């Protein structure tokens, strides 16, 4: 084929893909999940085909030989033979390095994957922070699963000994499990595609890391209702579980795939446990394509969550100084992290209404969301209202209303009051209360009252 013909062929191929995607956008969110397997396999095929057409003839032969070798590899087939079943578990026999049988399903599983570092080791401090920052009642609702993913058995033995000495009571209580996925279950890790012009050792490191996480996710699929991924060099905020539960409650009835409690890497990413098998298969399928945190963005989009849902303050902080890759310096910090995050709201379900003119798409509901977004209206007039009507009667302990943003500090409500009403009635195109009680007025654009 000529180069111009190939370009035309690719153009019509990509046009066909966009037509398919355009049709899929019309589907309802829950329908998108059923197309995940077909879509990712189709995209992977197209990716391989398009890349192949650009390589020199000699390199094509090398790639075909490598592909044949991988497909005939016993380990490769053993790992991926059930890939078409995205909701099923991956067939891996794990080694239990430190564990007692899980007595019951918990609310939250916290997953960690760790390998030997050239400099520093923060795993024990991370585990310690998880347990120390949780109350006795919170400890009853969490389980921690550590995947020691390094193939060096001597290193694993040393780490397991340290963990069992320091956290024996948590292991006995079934709160801490240490596992290892044997090397024979891993796919080929050498001679992989060098996307983004990464050096070979970097490609191997990040590709193996994707598989490490996939096997961890696969193990944790049925241990709890929710799952949060941490890295092995993280510090937790106090009572982080209570804060997470508040956020989940506030999003009741809202569709979401991933909630983010840190803006860094693969730290503080929360999932429904029923999505873990799909995510595990997804990471395995594209393990050599890109880093795990990039793949997570694509996974979220494929399951129809278009936008990032991230919460402030962050509940987890990166504390490692040396990276697990080559021991290079990594001084990244999350500047939204707070050691004690007590101010996360647990807004009960409600309907919102305002007669103010809304600016662009900053609608009223964004003021009530726990996500980092806001309502933005044009200058209000006397008599304008912003109404919140709870779906069910509620006992309120604290009310806090903030106006203005960091970059628009004077764009605040200069004069306003907060009233509480009862006996809701329908009125024209809105709902109003029969009686109102004034709790107070705004000061400097804010209103706050405890012990309501």
């Amino acid at each position: 084929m000529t180069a111009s013909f190939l370009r035309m062929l690719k153009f019509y191929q990509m046009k066909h893909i966009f037509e398919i995607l355009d049709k899929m956008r019309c589907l309802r969110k829950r329908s998108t999940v059923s197309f995940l397997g077909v879509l990712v396999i189709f995209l992977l095929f197209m990716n391989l085909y398009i890349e192949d057409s650009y390589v020199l003839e000699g390199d094509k032969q090398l790639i075909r030989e490598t592909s044949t070798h991988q497909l005939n590899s016993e380990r490769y087939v053993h790992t991926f033979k059930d890939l078409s079943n995205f909701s099923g578990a991956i067939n891996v026999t794990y080694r239990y390095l430190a564990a007692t049988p899980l007595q019951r399903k918990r609310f939250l599983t916290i997953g960690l994957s760790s390998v030997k570092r050239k400099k520093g080791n923060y795993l024990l401090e991370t585990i310690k922070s998880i347990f120390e920052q949780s109350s006795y009642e919170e400890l009853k609702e969490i389980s921690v699963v550590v995947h020691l993913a390094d193939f060096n058995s001597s290193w694993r033995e040393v780490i397991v000994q340290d963990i069992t000495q320091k956290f024996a009571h948590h292991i006995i209580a079934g709160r801490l499990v240490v596992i290892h996925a044997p090397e024979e279950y891993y796919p080929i890790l050498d001679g992989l595609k060098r996307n983004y012009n990464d050096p070979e050792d970097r490609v191997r490191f990040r590709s193996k890391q994707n598989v490490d996480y996939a096997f961890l996710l696969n193990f944790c699929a049925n241990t709890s209702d929710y799952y949060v991924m941490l890295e092995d060099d993280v510090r937790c905020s106090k009572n982080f579980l209570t804060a997470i539960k508040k956020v989940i409650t506030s999003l009741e009835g809202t569709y979401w795939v991933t909630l983010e409690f840190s803006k860094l890497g693969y730290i503080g990413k929360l999932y429904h446990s029923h999505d873990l098998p799909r995510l595990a298969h997804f990471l395995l399928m594209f393990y050599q394509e890109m880093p795990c945190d990039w793949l997570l963005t694509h996974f979220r989009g494929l399951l129809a969550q278009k936008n990032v849902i991230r919460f402030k303050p962050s509940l987890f902080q990166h504390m490692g100084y040396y990276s697990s890759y080559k021991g290079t310096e990594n001084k990244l910090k999350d500047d939204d992290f707070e050691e004690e995050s007590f101010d996360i709201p647990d807004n009960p379900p409600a309907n919102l209404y305002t007669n103010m003119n809304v600016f662009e798409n900053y609608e009223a509901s964004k003021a009530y969301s726990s996500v980092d977004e806001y309502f933005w209206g044009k200058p209000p007039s006397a008599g304008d209202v912003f109404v919140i009507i709870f779906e069910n009667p509620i006992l309120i302990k604290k009310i806090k209303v903030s106006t203005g943003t960091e970059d628009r500090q004077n764009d605040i409500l200069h004069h306003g009051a907060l009233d509480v009403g009862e006996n809701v009635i329908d009125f024209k195109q809105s709902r109003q209360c029969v009686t109102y009680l004034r709790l107070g007025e705004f000061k400097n654009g804010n209103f706050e009252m405890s012990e309501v």
Side-chain angles (χ1 to χ4, degrees):
M1 294 184 187
T2 64
S4 61
F5 181 76
L6 280 173
R7 282 195 292 271
M8 289 296 294
L9 178 61
K10 285 170 192 163
F11 171 78
Y12 286 111
Q13 287 171 339
M14 294 309 296
K15 180 181 179 183
H16 182 58
I17 292 173
F18 289 135
E19 288 174 353
I20 292 174
L21 292 176
D22 188 58
K23 292 176 182 177
M24 290 185 69
R25 278 198 297 268
C26 299
L27 297 174
R28 298 175 64 183
K29 288 180 180 177
R30 64 171 179 263
S31 301
T32 307
V33 176
S34 63
F35 283 91
L36 176 61
V38 177
L39 178 60
V40 294
I41 291 172
F42 180 71
L43 290 178
L44 178 62
F45 171 78
M46 292 306 301
N47 180 50
L48 292 174
Y49 181 87
I50 291 170
E51 284 186 3
D52 190 58
S53 64
Y54 273 103
V55 223
L56 295 174
E57 200 60 35
D59 291 334
K60 282 185 180 180
Q61 182 63 30
L62 179 62
I63 288 176
R64 279 194 288 268
E65 291 173 358
T66 303
S67 300
T68 303
H69 170 71
Q70 289 180 342
L71 289 173
N72 290 333
S73 166
E74 182 179 346
R75 289 189 299 172
Y76 187 93
V77 175
H78 180 70
T79 304
F80 294 101
K81 63 181 180 180
D82 295 323
L83 195 58
S84 59
N85 182 9
F86 271 74
S87 60
I90 300 164
N91 185 21
V92 179
T93 301
Y94 297 88
R95 293 177 185 169
Y96 287 77
L97 306 182
T100 56
L102 292 174
Q103 299 174 354
R104 59 182 178 82
K105 197 172 184 179
R106 309 289 175 106
F107 179 83
L108 179 70
T109 296
I110 302 161
L112 306 167
S113 181
S114 187
V115 295
K116 183 180 180 180
R117 294 172 181 257
K118 290 190 175 182
K119 292 182 180 180
N121 188 328
Y122 312 98
L123 176 60
L124 297 180
E125 285 299 312
T126 300
I127 299 173
K128 179 182 177 183
S129 179
I130 292 171
F131 291 135
E132 284 191 347
Q133 297 292 64
S134 302
S135 67
Y136 177 74
E137 292 300 320
E138 289 172 329
L139 288 175
K140 296 178 182 178
E141 299 189 75
I142 66 173
S143 60
V144 180
V145 178
V146 178
H147 179 204
L148 296 184
D150 203 287
F151 297 149
N152 185 325
S153 59
S154 299
W155 175 82
R156 294 198 307 268
E157 290 172 5
V158 171
I159 297 299
V160 168
Q161 186 176 6
D162 289 341
I163 290 175
T164 52
Q165 287 178 351
K166 294 180 181 296
F167 306 107
H169 58 296
H170 292 296
I171 296 173
I172 294 170
R175 283 191 291 270
L176 177 59
V177 177
V178 184
I179 62 169
H180 172 68
E183 185 175 1
E184 58 261 28
Y185 290 94
Y186 278 71
I188 298 297
L189 295 174
D190 295 313
L192 303 178
K193 292 189 299 182
R194 291 180 56 189
N195 292 345
Y196 317 109
N197 203 31
D198 282 347
E200 286 187 15
D201 59 344
R202 174 67 182 172
V203 172
R204 189 184 196 280
F205 173 83
R206 61 171 170 77
S207 298
K208 179 183 178 297
Q209 188 177 57
N210 284 333
V211 183
D212 295 343
Y213 283 135
F215 288 157
L216 174 60
L217 293 163
N218 182 63
F219 179 88
C220 296
N222 295 310
T223 58
S224 60
D225 298 321
Y226 300 93
Y227 173 90
V228 66
M229 179 66 80
L230 299 185
E231 295 180 5
D232 64 348
D233 53 355
V234 167
R235 189 169 81 251
C236 307
S237 68
K238 192 170 184 61
N239 302 116
F240 64 88
L241 175 63
T242 298
I244 289 174
K245 291 181 75 173
K246 282 184 177 182
V247 168
I248 292 174
T249 300
S250 72
L251 292 176
E252 187 175 346
T254 302
Y255 178 81
W256 59 269
V257 177
T258 309
L259 304 182
E260 303 189 8
F261 294 92
S262 170
K263 65 181 180 182
L264 299 180
Y266 205 173
I267 298 174
K269 306 303 184 280
L270 183 80
Y271 303 91
H272 296 277
S273 290
H274 60 69
D275 283 333
L276 297 187
R278 289 193 194 93
L279 180 53
H281 280 294
F282 186 77
L283 291 178
L284 279 176
M285 193 170 198
F286 298 106
Y287 77 103
Q288 63 173 309
E289 299 298 331
M290 60 187 70
C292 55
D293 46 340
W294 295 10
L295 284 173
L296 295 179
T297 302
H298 292 289
F299 179 77
R300 184 194 74 220
L302 284 168
L303 291 187
Q305 180 188 317
K306 295 181 179 180
N307 301 316
V308 174
I309 305 178
R310 189 169 76 83
F311 299 88
K312 295 181 182 179
S314 297
L315 301 179
F316 307 100
Q317 177 66 286
H318 177 257
M319 67 175 176
Y321 185 78
Y322 297 106
S323 168
S324 52
Y325 172 65
K326 281 190 170 182
T328 54
E329 290 186 4
N330 182 2
K331 300 178 182 180
L332 282 177
K333 295 294 180 184
D334 189 336
D335 50 15
D336 294 323
F337 173 76
E338 290 183 9
E339 195 78 40
E340 297 189 3
S341 301
F342 292 114
D343 205 24
I344 292 182
D346 53 347
N347 295 343
N351 297 306
L352 284 79
Y353 160 78
T354 182
N355 60 354
M356 302 180 202
N357 292 320
V358 180
F359 178 68
E360 293 186 351
N361 64 338
Y362 294 87
E363 60 265 16
S365 60
K366 293 189 174 182
Y368 197 66
S369 169
S370 298
V371 187
D372 186 26
E373 54 187 8
Y374 50 86
F375 161 75
W376 195 359
K378 296 180 180 179
S381 304
D384 283 352
V385 295
F386 191 102
V387 181
I388 301 173
I389 303 175
F390 299 121
E391 292 182 1
N392 299 299
I394 192 79
L395 291 175
I396 300 175
K397 295 181 180 178
K398 181 179 180 179
I399 300 174
K400 182 176 180 179
V401 184
S402 301
T403 66
T405 63
E406 292 182 2
D407 53 339
R408 298 181 181 86
Q409 296 184 8
N410 196 46
D411 197 358
I412 62 174
L413 184 62
H414 294 277
H415 304 284
L418 191 140
D419 296 346
V420 174
E422 58 182 356
N423 300 324
V424 180
I425 59 171
D426 293 325
F427 181 76
K428 294 182 179 180
Q429 295 181 343
S430 65
R431 304 175 72 196
Q432 296 185 7
C433 295
V434 176
T435 58
Y436 290 92
L437 171 66
R438 177 149 299 183
L439 295 186
E441 297 187 354
F442 281 71
K443 295 180 179 179
N444 299 320
N446 300 309
F447 179 94
E448 184 169 352
M449 175 179 285
S450 300
E451 305 300 329
V452 178

